[in-house]
Amino acid sequence: MLAVVGASAALMVSDIPWEGPLGAVRVGRVNGQLIANPTHTQMIDSDLDLVYVGNETDLVMFEGSAKEISDADFNAALKFGQESIQPMIAAQKDLVARAGKSKREITLNIVPDEILNEAKSLAGDRIISALLTHGKLAREGAVSAITDEIGKKLVESLARKK
């Protein structure tokens, strides 16, 4: 939970574009009572172990296990998780107001459809087999050989068109 909130806070105050903040909480349930970030001792008696990550308004990710709880109880745990992360989100917003940097502008380099389509036609189905090559180094070599070949052919093709 701390890693998610810490990474979110770091991104929030940095100049890196980020659509945060995120909050994270572990939800347990002991004797029918939902608990945010239960202790190890409390988790022994918990029939729910839910990791909930969300932004200010929505669920982003969850994972966990339970001892056969009802849909209504699970939905209540999700709602409890969303409510529990709100102070973390508020704290990150406050931190940004106090110490945040302006976000940098990112310029996207979008390949024109004409070039992308030509690259796809040059690669054909070979790229799929290269990506499915067993062994990391062999796979990297197979993909690199195709991309190098395609890059050279694209440069030649574009030079002829000028």
Side-chain angles (χ1 to χ4, degrees):
M1 303 322 107
L2 294 175
V4 171
V5 175
S8 176
L11 287 167
M12 288 294 293
V13 298
S14 77
D15 67 341
I16 299 170
W18 163 244
E19 297 293 327
L22 293 178
V25 65
R26 181 176 301 277
V27 178
R29 187 174 74 166
V30 177
N31 298 323
Q33 187 71 28
L34 293 170
I35 303 167
N37 297 317
T39 65
H40 292 291
T41 304
Q42 290 171 317
M43 285 304 295
I44 292 170
D45 297 323
S46 180
D47 63 351
L48 172 68
D49 182 5
L50 174 70
V51 172
Y52 182 96
V53 179
N55 59 29
E56 190 168 18
T57 58
D58 298 306
L59 165 71
V60 172
M61 187 257 350
F62 72 87
E63 62 182 35
S65 60
K67 296 178 184 172
E68 294 190 30
I69 64 172
S70 70
D71 288 349
D73 288 347
F74 181 70
N75 288 333
L78 291 175
K79 183 178 180 193
F80 179 80
Q82 181 66 27
E83 292 166 356
S84 297
I85 65 170
Q86 294 309 308
M88 296 169 219
I89 290 170
Q92 290 177 63
K93 286 182 168 186
D94 182 54
L95 182 61
V96 168
R98 295 171 187 243
K101 295 180 180 179
S102 297
K103 298 297 183 187
R104 68 177 105 154
E105 291 295 320
I106 301 295
T107 303
L108 297 177
N109 293 323
I110 300 173
V111 176
D113 287 340
E114 174 188 337
I115 295 172
L116 184 60
N117 291 334
E118 188 171 347
K120 286 179 181 179
S121 70
L122 289 170
D125 292 336
R126 296 180 302 148
I127 197 71
I128 294 171
S129 62
L131 290 169
L132 297 175
T133 301
H134 290 288
K136 179 180 178 181
L137 295 178
R139 181 174 44 257
E140 288 175 352
V143 170
S144 181
I146 293 171
T147 56
D148 289 348
E149 173 195 331
I150 292 169
K152 289 176 186 172
K153 287 182 179 180
L154 285 173
V155 168
E156 291 170 5
S157 173
L158 292 172
R160 275 184 262 132
K161 290 179 182 179
K162 284 186 177 183

